[in-house]
Amino acid sequence: DAGITQSPRHKVTETGTPVTLRCHQTENHRYMYWYRQDPGHGLRLIHYSYGVKDTDKGEVSDGYSVSRSKTEDFLLTLESATSSQTSVYFCAITQARDRGDGYTFGSGTRLTVV
Amino acid sequence: AQSVTQPDIHITVSEGASLELRCNYSYGATPYLFWYVQSPGQGLQLLLKYFSGDTLVQGIKGFEAEFKRSQSSFNLRKPSVHWSDAAEYFCAVALNSGNTPLVFGKGTRLSVIA
């Protein structure tokens, strides 16, 4: 399996606090993605990156920001956490999507905002 | 707008019975098509993918899927279900040009009974 790790695995935080989730890969893949998973909604794209310092918004990007200063790390920041951001967050990587490669997913971060 | 529909939220089958999970997509052209499986508390694992050629695709764990252009469908099948197949299954699609991210269906939860 591709080397992709997410940290932390679980986090409980208070409303209004900033939170940063980390995705780290050892595969030197170009593309990285952040999704959130909620019951009844499947996976929804938050942000993605197609290279160092190159990022773009997904369908549910409000309240989130990302940074990618190195190929191996993709950080997701909740600028001021709200209860609606309680979710499971997945990071995914792929080398070149237009070859039909699927994504490799991390194990997820379960975030609870109280 | 591109979309993916999994009509069945939850399916229950008996162990040893056959399985078919439905997936329909709405795209202007034939996209790349994927099926992923998620066991409880885990990330997503790629089962199989289609991007050209033979419309019947074989995957891991004994699964297969058939692409039907006329029906805009990519249904997942297994001839004999095992209790370990109980999980959530996601269909995903992406345009076959550029690097647009995968769009996921909302998932189908599979329960297996003895």
Side-chain angles (χ1 to χ4, degrees), chain A residues 83-98:
Chain A
S83 58
S84 65
Q85 294 175 311
T86 292
S87 186
V88 181
Y89 291 85
F90 285 99
C91 177
I93 62 174
T94 191
Q95 176 63 343
R97 197 212 54 78
D98 62 355

Side-chain angles (χ1 to χ4, degrees), chain B residues 20-61:
Chain B
E20 183 170 29
L21 303 182
R22 296 181 291 164
C23 174
N24 294 96
Y25 64 89
S26 173
Y27 277 76
T30 300
Y32 292 137
L33 298 157
F34 305 83
W35 275 99
Y36 284 84
V37 61
Q38 183 184 32
S39 298
Q42 303 297 313
L44 279 75
Q45 180 183 21
L46 181 65
L47 279 176
L48 47 77
K49 62 186 179 185
Y50 171 82
F51 50 93
S52 66
D54 193 344
T55 57
L56 185 62
V57 180
Q58 302 297 319
I60 63 172
K61 305 186 181 191

Side-chain angles (χ1 to χ4, degrees), chain A residues 9 30-31 33 35 37 40-43 45 48 90 96-108 110, chain B residues 32 34 36 38 41-46 49 51 88 90 94-107:
Chain A
R9 289 297 310 277
R30 177 180 175 186
Y31 299 94
Y33 307 85
Y35 287 86
Q37 183 178 25
H41 291 278
L43 279 82
L45 182 67
Y48 63 103
F90 285 99
R97 197 212 54 78
D98 62 355
R99 289 206 308 266
D101 294 340
Y103 293 179
T104 300
F105 282 83
S107 299
R110 182 173 296 275
Chain B
Y32 292 137
F34 305 83
Y36 284 84
Q38 183 184 32
Q42 303 297 313
L44 279 75
Q45 180 183 21
L46 181 65
K49 62 186 179 185
F51 50 93
E88 187 144 23
F90 293 93
L95 293 175
N96 58 6
S97 62
N99 288 294
T100 53
L102 290 184
V103 174
F104 286 84
K106 294 185 178 181

Side-chain angles (χ1 to χ4, degrees), chain B residues 46-112:
Chain B
L46 181 65
L47 279 176
L48 47 77
K49 62 186 179 185
Y50 171 82
F51 50 93
S52 66
D54 193 344
T55 57
L56 185 62
V57 180
Q58 302 297 319
I60 63 172
K61 305 186 181 191
F63 284 92
E64 66 179 25
E66 186 172 13
F67 167 59
K68 292 185 177 180
R69 185 190 309 274
S70 61
Q71 299 177 18
S72 297
S73 69
F74 188 55
N75 293 350
L76 182 71
R77 301 194 295 247
K78 187 169 184 177
S80 177
V81 170
H82 188 262
W83 64 266
S84 61
D85 293 324
E88 187 144 23
Y89 292 80
F90 293 93
C91 181
V93 302
L95 293 175
N96 58 6
S97 62
N99 288 294
T100 53
L102 290 184
V103 174
F104 286 84
K106 294 185 178 181
T108 297
R109 184 162 62 92
L110 174 65
S111 296
V112 180

Side-chain angles (χ1 to χ4, degrees), chain A residues 8-24:
Chain A
R9 289 297 310 277
H10 302 272
K11 186 169 182 66
V12 179
T13 191
E14 293 185 348
T15 299
T17 60
V19 177
T20 295
L21 309 182
R22 181 183 185 227
C23 178
H24 178 77

